[in-house]
Amino acid sequence: MTSISPPKNRLWWNEPIEKVELIWITLVFLWGLVMAFMMPYWHVAGNQNLSNETYKITPAAYLAKTQAMVDQYTVRTGPAPKNFPVVHPPAGSDVYLVARLWDWWPILELEKDQTYRVHLSSIDWQHGFSLQPAAINIQVVPDYEHVVSLTPNKAGDYSVFCNEYCGLLHHTMINTIHVVE
Amino acid sequence: MNNTLFRVCPDTGLKFHRPAETLMKANAVAAVVFLLVGGFYALLVGLTRWQAVHLLAADQFYMVLTLHGLNVLIFWILFFEIALLYFCSSTLLGCRLAAPRFAWVGFALMLIGAVMNNVIVLQGNSSVMMTSYAPMGAHPVFYLSLILFAVGALIGCFVFFGTLVIAKDEKTYEGSVSLVTFGAITAAIIAVFTIISGAIILIPTLLWSLDLIAHIDALMYRLIWWGFGHSSQQINVSAHIAIWYAIAAIMFGAKPLSEKVSRMAFLMYILFLQLASVHHLLVDPGLSSEFKMFNTSYAMYLAVMASMVHGLTVPGSIEAAQRAKGLNNGLFEWLRKAPWGNPTFSGMFISLVGFGFLGGISGVVMGTEQINILLHNTLYVPGHFHATVVIGTTLAFMALTYWLVPILFRRELVMKKLASWQPYLFGGGMAGVALFLMGAGTVGVPRRHWDISFSDAAGAVYEFPGAANTMLALNGVFVILAVAGGAAFCVIVVASLLFGKKLGEDEKSPVPLIAEPPADADYEGIGSGTITVPGTLVFALVFFASFAIYYFVNWKYLGETWGIS
C-alpha cells in the first residue's frame, strides 16, 4: 500500500506517530508561538506600528481639508512644470496628502525627529503610498481617510511614488517629500 | 459493471472510467494551451521590466501583464486541477465519474470564460490586472468571463464530490480514501469556499460595471476579493502537495510516515489557510491590528505548521521507502541515488525545495503585520508567489504530466533527453526570477510598474540604488531561461501526444511506470536508532535555521526606518 491507495490498517488513526514527526511538530509549533508573539511584542516595544485610525470621507471633503492646510502653510512653489505648493506644516500637526490620477499633492516639507499626523486618502482610484528610500508602503483607498503618525529619522529628499497599479500613467505618479533638520 | 466503460491500465493497474478519461484529457490539454499563452506573455513582461530592453509600450505592458496573470495563475492551473480532481476521485478510487455530461458543461463554461477573458483584455479596455481593484473598472465582459469560468470550475468540484459519494456507495474501495485523494478533497473544499467568495464580490462588480449598482466600496472589494484571490492559491497548495505524495508513491512506492499526521496537516489547511487572505490587507486603512494579527498568523501559524509538516513528511516518506529498499547508508544515500534524470522525480523535488525555501519563508516573513510595511506592493510580492505558484504548483503539475502522458494518453514520451533537463531549466530559471524579483523588492522597486526610471514623469524622479537595475536585468535573463523551460515542456507534451509511439490498451510500457512498494518487513530497522529518516530531519533543521535567521533580519531592517504609529 502507498499514498495513492487506501491505508492498509483500517484503524490508521490508532497507529503511533514517527519520532521524527513528533520532534518536528514540537519545534514548528514552538516557532509558531514565537512568531505569533513577535507581532504584539513589537506593538509594545517597537517603533514601527501602522495606525488603524480611519474615517469615512468624501473626496470633496478631503480635498477641502488639504486645501485649507495648503492655504495656511505654503512656504514656496515647487519645481516646474507642476509648480505644486511646498507646504511646511508645524511639527506635530495634521498633514494631508492627496493621492489622485496621477499625482501626489501637495509637496510636503517635514522636520527631522518631529512626529506628524499624516492623513492619506485617494480622491479617485486605489493608490499605493511608497516612500523611498525609507521603505514605507501603505495602501491608499478612496472614501477612507487613514491617519498615520510618521517620525522622519533622517534629513533628505524622499520620493513618494505609487505602487498600486492605477491606470495608464501609473508609472508617472511620483512626488517629493522633503525632510529638513 | 459494464467493462467497456472501463479500462485497466496495464502498467499501473489503475482503473480508468472512459468518460472520465476523456474529460481528464480535455482539461489537461486546455491547461497546457493556456500555459503556453500565459508563458509567452511572461516573456514580454520580463523583457519590458528589464530597463535596458524595455520591450513594450506602457499600455501594451499593462494589458500583457493582466493577460499573463490570468492565463497562468487562473486558467492553466484551474484546468489542470479539474483534471487532477477527476483523476484523484474516479481513477484512484476505481469508480465511475458522477454526471460526465454535467462535467462537460463545466468544461465548456470554463473554456468559454477563459477565451472571452483573453479576447476582452486584448481589446485593450480591461487592463485592470488580475485584481481589478474597484473603483477602477473593466468592461462588463471581463467580470462576466471570470464568473462563467468560476461557475464551470464549481461544477467540476461538485462532479468530484459526487464521484466520492458513488465510490463510497458502490464500495469500490476499502476503508478510507488514499492520502492523495484526501489532499484532493482538501483542495476541492477550499475551492468551494474560494469560488463563493469570488461570486460574492464579482457579481456585484459586474452589476456595477453595467450601472445597475451605484457604488462598490473599495475596501470591501479588497477584503472579499482576497477571500477569493488568496484562497485560490490555497487550492493550489493542497493540490500540489497531494501531487508530491502521489509522485513519492509512484516513483518509490512510498507510504506516509504516518497517515494521521499527514491527514491532520491537510485538515489544518481547511481550518486555517483561508485566513491568509488578510496578508494582502496588512497596510490597509480601517482594519484593526488584532484582526490583522489573528488572521495573518492563521490563528498562531497553524497553517504554516501544516506546510512545514508536509515539507518533512513528503521527503521523509521517500527516504523511508528508499532505505527500505536497501539504500540505508549514511545520511543521504537515499537522495544521491534517487532518479535525478527522471523529470517526474526531479520536477517534484525541485518543486518541494523551491516552494519551501523560497516561497514559504518569504511568504511568512512578508505576511508579518509590521514587516509588511517594508514590502507591500513591491516586486518582493511577485518574487514570493513565483516561488510558490510557479516552482511549487506549476512544476509539480509538469512533473505529474510526464507520468500521465503514457498512463492517461497511452503515448510514449518523446524527446526524453530534453525532458530530463526540463525541470532544471524551468525550476532553475524560475528560482532566479523569484530571487531577483525579491531582491528588487527589498530596495523598493514597485510591482506592476512600467518604468522605474520615471522618464515620463514631469519633474520628480527617484533614483533607485544601482542594484535595482542589475536585478531587473538578471530577472530578465532568468525569465528567458524559465520561458525556454516552459516552452520545452509544452513542446514535449504536444509532440508526445501527436507523435509519441502509441501504446496499446493492454500493452505494457517498455519502462516500468510505477514502483513496487517495499514490504512492511523491509521498513524494520531503517535509519539510525529510533530516527527512521535522519537525512530528512537534517534537511528540515537546515530549513528551520534559514527561516529563523531571515525572519529576525527583517525585524532588524524594520527597526531602522522612520517611526510609524
Side-chain angles (χ1 to χ4, degrees):
Chain A
M1 134 287 111
T2 67
S3 301
I4 55 171
S5 50
K8 191 190 257 173
N9 181 359
R10 289 193 69 147
L11 302 179
W12 49 265
W13 52 88
N14 286 336
E15 287 173 351
I17 295 176
E18 288 274 343
K19 189 172 166 192
V20 179
E21 291 178 308
L22 269 180
I23 296 171
W24 184 241
I25 290 169
T26 310
L27 183 69
V28 169
F29 182 72
L30 292 175
W31 175 235
L33 290 183
V34 169
M35 291 195 296
F37 167 76
M38 276 306 289
M39 291 187 283
Y41 166 75
W42 200 263
H43 274 277
V44 177
N47 292 322
Q48 292 80 18
N49 293 289
L50 194 62
S51 148
N52 307 128
E53 188 180 340
T54 305
Y55 306 94
K56 285 280 279 186
I57 194 159
T58 62
Y62 188 74
L63 267 181
K65 289 210 267 187
T66 312
Q67 187 65 54
M69 174 195 73
V70 169
D71 291 344
Q72 202 171 355
Y73 299 118
T74 297
V75 286
R76 60 178 185 275
T77 301
K82 289 187 176 172
N83 302 314
F84 283 178
V86 179
V87 180
H88 188 122
S93 67
D94 286 87
V95 175
Y96 298 84
L97 186 63
V98 172
R100 66 185 186 203
L101 302 169
W102 284 282
D103 273 317
W104 300 94
W105 183 83
I107 298 171
L108 300 175
E109 185 172 274
L110 309 176
E111 289 170 25
K112 185 185 164 227
D113 294 330
Q114 299 292 336
T115 299
Y116 298 84
R117 280 169 53 80
V118 177
H119 297 236
L120 295 170
S121 190
S122 162
I123 58 165
D124 37 56
W125 292 351
Q126 298 193 26
H127 297 286
F129 173 90
S130 187
L131 183 74
Q132 300 296 347
I136 295 174
N137 302 284
I138 303 170
Q139 191 74 25
V140 184
V141 181
D143 302 331
Y144 290 89
E145 180 181 10
H146 192 184
V147 189
V148 182
S149 290
L150 292 179
T151 314
N153 61 359
K154 249 198 310 208
D157 290 344
Y158 289 81
S159 291
V160 52
F161 55 76
C162 181
N163 71 3
E164 184 60 78
Y165 171 68
C166 58
L168 288 182
L169 294 178
H170 161 58
H171 48 273
T172 65
M173 185 169 164
I174 180 170
N175 213 333
T176 309
I177 292 182
H178 302 287
V179 175
V180 295
E181 290 284 346
Chain B
M1 246 181 267
N2 184 349
N3 275 333
T4 59
L5 264 181
F6 287 88
R7 75 170 173 88
V8 176
C9 170
D11 293 299
T12 58
L14 292 170
K15 207 164 123 191
F16 282 93
H17 179 225
R18 289 182 197 276
E21 192 180 15
T22 318
L23 275 158
M24 283 180 232
K25 287 180 184 172
N27 277 282
V29 169
V32 173
V33 170
F34 286 102
L35 176 67
L36 193 63
V37 173
F40 170 68
Y41 292 136
L43 185 66
L44 304 182
V45 171
L47 291 180
T48 304
R49 293 228 57 171
W50 184 347
Q51 288 283 147
V53 179
H54 219 214
L55 184 68
L56 300 179
D59 57 338
Q60 292 170 336
F61 171 74
Y62 293 127
M63 181 179 82
V64 163
L65 187 53
T66 305
L67 287 164
H68 167 61
L70 287 160
N71 278 294
V72 279
L73 190 61
I74 306 290
F75 305 146
W76 138 252
I77 285 178
L78 262 293
F79 273 115
F80 196 93
E81 276 165 355
I82 296 296
L84 185 71
L85 288 183
Y86 296 163
F87 179 81
C88 289
S89 54
S90 169
T91 309
L92 288 187
L93 299 178
C95 83
R96 65 187 171 88
L97 190 79
R101 277 194 203 141
F102 201 44
W104 279 111
V105 173
F107 176 75
L109 283 175
M110 287 172 72
L111 196 60
I112 292 167
V115 172
M116 254 169 85
N117 187 276
N118 272 278
V119 170
I120 197 71
V121 176
L122 278 170
Q123 288 180 1
N125 53 0
S126 295
S127 301
V128 291
M129 304 294 143
M130 199 185 84
T131 43
S132 56
Y133 282 137
M136 175 171 59
H139 192 283
V141 169
F142 178 86
Y143 307 108
L144 181 65
S145 65
L146 292 179
I147 292 167
L148 289 180
F149 185 86
V151 171
L154 191 61
I155 291 176
C157 291
F158 285 126
V159 169
F160 168 76
F161 291 127
T163 308
L164 296 179
V165 174
I166 289 175
K168 185 105 197 153
D169 242 31
E170 298 182 352
K171 298 195 172 53
T172 61
Y173 64 98
E174 295 270 315
S176 307
V177 298
S178 70
L179 175 62
V180 170
T181 303
F182 191 86
I185 295 173
T186 308
I189 291 172
I190 297 176
V192 172
F193 171 88
T194 301
I195 294 169
I196 291 172
S197 305
I200 293 174
I201 195 61
L202 287 177
I203 292 172
T205 308
L206 169 65
L207 299 177
W208 167 75
S209 73
L210 292 166
D211 283 334
L212 297 171
I213 287 180
H215 183 69
I216 293 281
D217 184 276
L219 205 55
M220 176 202 72
Y221 181 94
R222 290 175 62 77
L223 182 72
I224 305 176
W225 193 90
W226 280 111
F228 164 67
H230 204 103
S231 301
S232 62
Q233 304 317 307
Q234 323 300 12
I235 309 171
N236 304 343
V237 173
S238 305
H240 78 232
I241 290 176
I243 289 179
W244 293 348
Y245 281 113
I247 290 177
I250 290 161
M251 301 289 304
F252 302 98
K255 61 175 183 177
L257 292 178
S258 62
E259 295 279 353
K260 192 161 39 181
V261 169
S262 295
R263 285 171 198 245
M264 267 309 287
F266 274 122
L267 183 65
M268 282 156 84
Y269 281 162
I270 300 179
L271 298 177
F272 302 111
L273 206 50
Q274 289 93 307
L275 304 181
S277 44
V278 175
H279 284 146
H280 298 267
L281 314 172
L282 291 177
V283 294
D284 276 25
L287 302 171
S288 74
S289 287
E290 292 80 3
F291 175 81
K292 290 172 179 175
M293 284 189 284
F294 176 80
N295 282 277
T296 60
S297 71
Y298 318 90
M300 311 297 264
Y301 290 99
L302 290 173
V304 174
M305 180 165 140
S307 284
M308 287 172 82
V309 166
H310 290 305
L312 177 92
T313 57
V314 172
S317 72
I318 294 175
E319 179 174 358
Q322 288 276 73
R323 285 180 185 274
K325 287 176 181 174
L327 300 172
N328 196 26
N329 294 318
L331 276 178
F332 296 119
E333 189 193 18
W334 62 277
L335 190 59
R336 271 203 324 275
K337 296 194 176 162
W340 292 101
N342 184 321
T344 300
F345 169 73
S346 64
M348 171 262 157
F349 208 82
I350 296 168
S351 160
L352 174 93
V353 173
F355 179 79
F357 277 86
L358 297 177
I361 293 177
S362 62
V364 176
V365 168
M366 166 172 73
T368 305
E369 191 207 356
Q370 295 95 335
I371 293 175
N372 190 255
I373 296 170
L374 299 176
L375 299 168
H376 176 72
N377 270 356
T378 66
L379 269 179
Y380 194 91
V381 181
H384 153 74
F385 68 68
H386 278 78
T388 55
V389 177
V390 193
I391 306 181
T393 306
T394 296
L395 188 51
F397 287 4
M398 288 173 170
L400 187 72
T401 304
Y402 286 121
W403 181 75
L404 282 176
V405 166
I407 302 290
L408 178 63
F409 292 89
R410 300 310 293 162
R411 293 271 193 174
E412 270 188 48
L413 207 60
V414 299
M415 297 187 256
K416 287 206 175 75
K417 188 88 197 155
L418 180 62
S420 71
W421 281 100
Q422 188 273 337
Y424 298 95
L425 185 59
F426 186 73
M430 203 46 73
V433 169
L435 281 168
F436 292 117
L437 290 180
M438 286 195 262
T442 55
V443 292
V445 177
R447 66 186 292 200
R448 299 172 167 177
H449 198 281
W450 178 64
D451 179 21
I452 63 158
S453 72
F454 300 100
S455 55
D456 288 356
V461 292
Y462 176 64
E463 291 259 349
F464 280 94
N469 283 318
T470 312
M471 282 188 283
L472 287 177
L474 285 167
N475 171 60
V477 172
F478 279 87
V479 165
I480 293 171
L481 291 179
V483 169
F489 169 79
C490 296
V491 168
I492 293 165
V493 170
V494 172
S496 299
L497 298 193
L498 295 178
F499 313 116
K501 186 169 161 280
K502 276 191 184 166
L503 292 164
E505 284 207 349
D506 301 314
E507 180 189 355
K508 266 187 159 247
S509 152
V511 282
L513 292 172
I514 195 158
E516 197 60 39
D520 281 359
D522 297 336
Y523 279 99
E524 300 293 330
I526 59 166
S528 52
T530 54
I531 303 292
T532 49
V533 290
T536 300
L537 182 61
V538 169
F539 264 136
L541 293 174
V542 169
F543 174 80
F544 179 76
S546 327
F547 191 169
I549 293 167
Y550 187 68
Y551 179 74
F552 284 112
V553 163
N554 275 277
W555 281 109
K556 185 181 165 291
Y557 282 141
L558 179 69
E560 288 167 1
T561 192
W562 292 16
I564 306 166
S565 59

